Amino acid sequence: MKKLWMGLLLLCICSETITAQSKKFRLTLLPEAGLVSFDGKSGSGWGLYAKGSFVTGSTGALTLTTGIGRASLKKLIGSSEDYVIRSIPVLLGYEHAMGNFRIEPQLGLGELGGKYTLSGVVARPSVASLFSALTLRYQWKPISVGLRAQYQKSIEGKEVGTWYRSRMGFYTIQVGMPLVK
């Protein structure tokens, strides 16, 4: 946890020099929580993302978003064993402003993986996945609040085993807090 806070602090310090050079760059921290759907089963999960925006005009911005989403699958599959799933996307998008409202479609690649324990043995399989997301957000001063839907699908072949053809959806409420504006 200390590494995460140190990384965020370093990110804030390093991004301040960017702001001094150009007002066209924004960096936003996006924590979220909500429902997770994995291969037809549902539960709860959370995510933490960082988004860099390059303002292209008065109503638009190109975005690059990355982070991690996690969910416990123990209850999802009705097992006494411990299952945790994670997604780590890198998403390119375009944010369009309509007054205080924002809409942002995104597309990217990343990792769908996790950890599970079966009879004391820990496995950590992962596969490459195609990601797509859509966010509807309301901007209130520097803070934004929105609804986000993110989908991912494994894009590797049968040889990957555990996650072959796996599909996952995150349906979350997301809060945006500017680190650099």
Side-chain angles (χ1 to χ4, degrees):
M1 193 61 158
K2 288 180 183 180
K3 289 181 183 178
L4 175 66
W5 288 113
M6 289 302 292
L8 289 173
L9 179 63
L10 182 61
L11 188 61
C12 290
I13 292 168
C14 291
S15 59
E16 279 303 316
T17 58
I18 294 170
T19 303
Q21 295 170 3
S22 170
K23 291 291 184 183
K24 292 189 172 201
F25 182 79
R26 293 187 309 243
L27 185 61
T28 308
L29 185 63
L30 301 163
E32 64 184 19
L35 299 175
V36 175
S37 169
F38 181 75
D39 287 342
K41 297 176 174 53
S42 61
S44 61
W46 60 269
L48 182 63
Y49 298 89
K51 178 174 84 170
S53 303
F54 180 75
V55 178
T56 58
S58 62
T59 61
L62 295 174
T63 64
L64 178 63
T65 306
T66 189
I68 185 168
R70 288 183 59 101
S72 174
L73 293 182
K74 188 174 186 176
K75 293 178 185 174
L76 292 181
I77 60 176
S79 172
S80 61
E81 302 291 344
D82 185 29
Y83 287 77
V84 177
I85 191 165
R86 73 177 175 277
S87 65
I88 304 174
V90 176
L91 300 161
L92 293 173
Y94 179 77
E95 183 178 62
H96 183 74
M98 297 167 285
N100 287 343
F101 291 94
R102 309 281 190 267
I103 185 167
E104 181 183 5
Q106 298 174 312
L107 190 61
L109 294 172
E111 176 200 24
L112 171 62
K115 176 181 100 170
Y116 58 89
T117 306
L118 296 171
S119 304
V121 178
V122 176
R124 296 179 187 271
S126 66
V127 294
S129 292
L130 178 64
F131 287 78
S132 62
L134 180 65
T135 305
L136 301 172
R137 187 177 297 116
Y138 180 79
Q139 188 75 36
W140 183 69
K141 300 194 182 191
I143 305 293
S144 65
V145 177
L147 299 174
R148 183 169 189 265
Q150 174 180 292
Y151 301 98
Q152 59 206 56
K153 183 181 182 300
S154 166
I155 57 174
E156 293 191 37
K158 292 179 185 176
E159 66 279 359
V160 299
T162 305
W163 306 114
Y164 175 61
R165 287 193 172 170
S166 291
R167 295 171 186 254
M168 187 167 154
F170 271 98
Y171 310 97
T172 60
I173 294 175
Q174 187 177 71
V175 177
M177 297 173 281
L179 296 174
V180 175
K181 56 179 182 165

